[in-house]
Amino acid sequence: MKWRIAVLGGDGIGPEVIEASLPVLRATAERFGHEFTADVQDVGFAAYERSGHPLPEETLAACRGADAVLLGAVGDPRSDGLPVELRPEAALLSLRKEMGCYANLRPVRLLPALASASPLRPEIVAGTDLVIVRELAGGLYYSEPRGPVEDGQGAVDTMKYHQDEVARIARMAFETARGRRKSVLSVDKANVLHSSRLWRRVVDEIAEEYPDVECSHMLVDRAAMELVLNPSSFDVMLTPNLFGDVLSDEAAAVIGSIGLLASASIGSGGGIFEPVHGSAPDIAGTGTANPLAIILSAALLLRHVYSLNVEATAIESAVEQVLEDGLRTRDLVQDGEAAVGTEEMGRAVAAMISNVEASADA
Ligand code: IPM
Ligand code: MN
């Protein structure tokens, strides 16, 4: 198979972690007889500095022309004073919209080798294995009106959902649950928000199409609490855009580090595969960032875009194996342990690709 992937490093640690993930993709392509071409483009503040726009035309064209996009991170403190439409985050939001990505899947699984990296007691975090299905193209991030009002003395954002937007993301959650433990927990704030009452009604309607999947609801404040009290109780968490953003960072901390969380932004097209972590400007350029989130995002890409389950599982097994072998980036080390750098971690996973057992359920 030919893989044509648009590769966008972006800002901060983005380019470093992307760089570390390419040997893993190359090793996977080589082992399983595929051809991998990367169309490298810039996005975010890096693109703004070079071309005056955070999402240049050629970047968008490359993303549209590729099978899928692998994206590092966007965000740079130097963009703080820029008009919103020129800020790096705006580029990511338009890219998601332009690419038809309305669903963001964020798998959160405790890796056995990292049980002690969680800030939670082992008996609480044991068995944590959930997926956040976050609505990605609507809600508070996009609805109008938004922006300054009252001559800049006030500002407004709008949380609006149309029932069709809720229905399609709900279906995505129920479909995801069918491939797992068949349980969807929908998160909202229906005791206060109108958009959440609509959300809850539509989720209940869609649930009827999936009688084999259990469906329940939880208010977002309670869900935030349950996630640390009882993380292993969740299977699929279905959330509106903003709530999913917040809960996924919390969930990442539960399993040990945000440097581990991968995501698939999917919908009508090929999709954008991006780590949940941001650009981490404080450690950019130090070579210490954890590349595992982007490497695991590349695995999601192979699974979702090309249905290459064996290849994706090989990458995931290679990651687990290097962690079993004791390799840790700085975010994962505990007292006295030595840390490896970004590049070394990438090379170790790439080298492991040829050693792992290759079967769909390895
Ligand atoms: C994420 C990020 C983005 C978001 C930012 C960078 C716009 O935090 O993917 O979680 O809020 O969606
Ligand atoms: Mn976020």
Side-chain angles (χ1 to χ4, degrees), residues 166-222:
V166 182
R168 68 181 178 178
I169 191 70
R171 285 200 181 90
M172 183 72 81
F174 284 103
E175 292 293 338
T176 304
R178 273 195 172 154
R180 298 176 43 95
R181 301 194 303 278
K182 297 192 169 55
S183 159
V184 170
L185 177 90
S186 173
V187 174
D188 62 39
K189 186 69 185 171
N191 55 345
V192 177
L193 303 177
H194 289 281
S195 60
S196 278
R197 287 191 279 270
L198 173 95
W199 178 278
R200 199 175 272 221
R201 170 175 68 73
V202 177
V203 170
D204 276 334
E205 281 165 23
I206 301 301
E208 288 178 18
E209 297 170 17
Y210 297 85
D212 53 321
V213 179
E214 188 201 342
C215 173
S216 54
H217 305 272
M218 194 179 278
L219 298 174
V220 61
D221 43 0
R222 162 101 190 278

Side-chain angles (χ1 to χ4, degrees), residues 74 89 92-93 96 106 134 136 141 245 249 274-276:
V74 298
E89 292 79 8
L92 180 57
L93 298 187
R96 286 172 176 168
R106 301 184 155 179
R134 170 189 176 194
L136 201 63
Y141 274 53
D245 179 49
D249 276 32
E274 36 176 330
V276 172

Side-chain angles (χ1 to χ4, degrees), residues 61 83 111 129 156 188 194 339-340 360:
L111 300 175
D129 179 0
V156 64
D188 62 39
H194 289 281
V340 300

Side-chain angles (χ1 to χ4, degrees), residues 42-323:
D42 52 17
V43 69
F45 190 73
Y48 170 78
E49 270 194 312
R50 191 186 53 77
S51 71
H53 200 279
L55 183 58
E57 268 308 318
E58 63 263 37
T59 298
L60 191 54
C63 294
R64 287 203 176 109
D67 300 334
V69 180
L70 188 66
L71 188 144
V74 298
D76 190 299
R78 287 171 292 174
S79 68
D80 285 354
L82 291 177
V84 265
E85 68 279 9
L86 293 179
R87 295 180 51 142
E89 292 79 8
L92 180 57
L93 298 187
S94 355
L95 186 63
R96 286 172 176 168
K97 196 72 155 183
E98 291 289 333
M99 302 284 290
C101 300
Y102 64 81
N104 182 228
L105 275 48
R106 301 184 155 179
V108 181
R109 189 165 66 90
L110 180 75
L111 300 175
L114 293 179
S116 62
S118 171
L120 300 181
R121 290 201 303 277
E123 68 271 24
I124 290 182
V125 75
T128 298
D129 179 0
L130 61 98
V131 180
I132 296 177
V133 177
R134 170 189 176 194
E135 198 289 323
L136 201 63
L140 200 56
Y141 274 53
Y142 292 95
S143 313
E144 300 285 342
R146 58 205 313 263
V149 293
E150 295 157 11
D151 292 329
Q153 294 183 65
V156 64
D157 293 286
T158 302
M159 189 158 174
K160 185 173 86 187
Y161 273 113
H162 187 278
Q163 56 182 14
D164 297 350
E165 292 174 295
V166 182
R168 68 181 178 178
I169 191 70
R171 285 200 181 90
M172 183 72 81
F174 284 103
E175 292 293 338
T176 304
R178 273 195 172 154
R180 298 176 43 95
R181 301 194 303 278
K182 297 192 169 55
S183 159
V184 170
L185 177 90
S186 173
V187 174
D188 62 39
K189 186 69 185 171
N191 55 345
V192 177
L193 303 177
H194 289 281
S195 60
S196 278
R197 287 191 279 270
L198 173 95
W199 178 278
R200 199 175 272 221
R201 170 175 68 73
V202 177
V203 170
D204 276 334
E205 281 165 23
I206 301 301
E208 288 178 18
E209 297 170 17
Y210 297 85
D212 53 321
V213 179
E214 188 201 342
C215 173
S216 54
H217 305 272
M218 194 179 278
L219 298 174
V220 61
D221 43 0
R222 162 101 190 278
M225 181 177 74
E226 288 297 330
L227 206 45
V228 289
L229 288 179
N230 215 353
S232 64
S233 66
F234 298 98
D235 179 16
V236 174
M237 271 181 120
L238 164 63
T239 76
N241 204 340
L242 178 72
F243 299 162
D245 179 49
V246 175
L247 292 175
S248 52
D249 276 32
E250 188 191 357
V254 165
I255 57 157
S257 169
I258 192 146
L260 297 168
L261 224 59
S263 91
S265 300
I266 55 176
S268 49
I272 308 171
F273 295 80
E274 36 176 330
V276 172
H277 65 67
S279 56
D282 52 325
I283 59 163
T286 62
T288 57
N290 185 346
L292 294 181
I294 187 82
I295 290 171
L296 292 169
S297 301
L300 293 180
L301 188 159
L302 298 184
R303 182 175 290 123
H304 282 274
V305 180
Y306 305 112
S307 303
L308 292 173
N309 204 36
V310 173
E311 287 79 346
T313 307
I315 295 178
E316 289 159 355
S317 307
V319 165
E320 285 186 45
Q321 193 54 55
V322 299
L323 291 171

